[in-house]
């Protein structure tokens, strides 16, 4: 499973990208609003440090305008993926942009039939929002499983990008459910490496090693 960052902070993204483990980045208008710099500058800064897919979302609501915005966003860098919302206009824009060779991420997906439409419209990624479904008292992870089964039944190649991730358990469950990608805030990405028994075990190893008085280098 690919691991993406969902972030508005190019510095944070650069520092995590240095691990070599960041496969891509997702942004949205709310994150861009938090970035504290013009959106194009913000996206260029991210594309400079992350070679993988960087999702940049259109803000128009009509297909023609979405397509025009998508074409402009795609010129920022070759790794830009144009992000459109899951509306009829968004699906029309997805079909047109994908037909022109752009990668498209269809976002704000809350049902398997929405995901089916996005796949038929040629989406590269579908973004189901897990945490927001959980917040509404529904089972967000069930949606990942339902989309996985729908896509596998018909051989759709659209990648399932689990979004709106709230904790490490969401990442684990998305991986087990067969999501192709999970996007998450930097804090959760960092927590993926953490386990208290790892810290405890390492402290004991180092203590025992210190007693020997030896050095490797
Ligand atoms: O990229 C979109 C998505 O991850 C948003 O998450 O936390 O605003 O529901 P959240």
């Amino acid at each position: 499973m690919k691991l993406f960052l969902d972030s508005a902070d190019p510095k944070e993204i650069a520092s995590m990208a240095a691990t070599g483990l960041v496969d891509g980045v997702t942004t949205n208008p709310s994150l861009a609003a938090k970035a504290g710099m013009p959106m194009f500058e913000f996206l260029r800064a991210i594309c400079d440090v992350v070679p993988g897919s960087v999702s940049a979302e259109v803000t128009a609501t009509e297909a023609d305008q979405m397509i025009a915005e998508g074409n402009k966003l795609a010129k920022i860098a070759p790794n830009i993926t144009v992000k459109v919302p899951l509306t009829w206009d968004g699906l029309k824009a997805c079909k047109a942009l994908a037909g022109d060779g752009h990668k498209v991420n269809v976002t704000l997906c809350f049902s398997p039939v929405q995901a089916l439409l996005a796949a038929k419209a040629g989406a590269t990624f579908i973004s189901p929002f897990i945490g927001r479904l959980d917040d509404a008292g529904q089972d967000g992870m069930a949606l990942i499983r339902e989309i996985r089964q729908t896509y596998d039944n018909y051989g759709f190649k659209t990648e399932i990008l689990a979004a709106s991730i709230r904790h490490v358990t969401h990442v684990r469950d998305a991986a087990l459910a067969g999501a192709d990608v999970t996007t998450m805030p930097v804090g959760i990405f960092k927590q993926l490496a953490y386990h208290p028994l790892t810290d405890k075990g390492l402290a004991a190893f180092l203590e025992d090693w210190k007693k020997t008085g030896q050095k490797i280098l």
Side-chain angles (χ1 to χ4, degrees), residues 6 26-28 31 83 107 129 131-132 163-166 183:
D6 196 38
T26 49
T27 68
N28 60 41
L31 288 170
K83 202 171 177 188
T107 190
F129 276 30
R132 293 193 195 183
S164 185
I165 294 295
R166 299 284 156 75
T183 190

Side-chain angles (χ1 to χ4, degrees), residues 61-85:
T61 53
E62 287 175 15
D64 288 350
Q65 283 296 107
M66 287 182 183
I67 294 164
E69 287 186 0
N71 281 320
K72 186 170 175 185
L73 290 166
K75 288 197 176 85
I76 295 172
N79 54 328
I80 285 283
T81 294
V82 179
K83 202 171 177 188
V84 299

Side-chain angles (χ1 to χ4, degrees), residues 18-49:
T19 65
L21 295 173
V22 176
D23 298 307
V25 174
T26 49
T27 68
N28 60 41
S30 302
L31 288 170
K34 279 191 210 154
M37 63 177 82
M39 185 171 85
F40 278 73
E41 201 180 305
F42 158 65
L43 290 166
R44 251 180 240 114
I46 298 172
C47 291
D48 280 350
V49 294

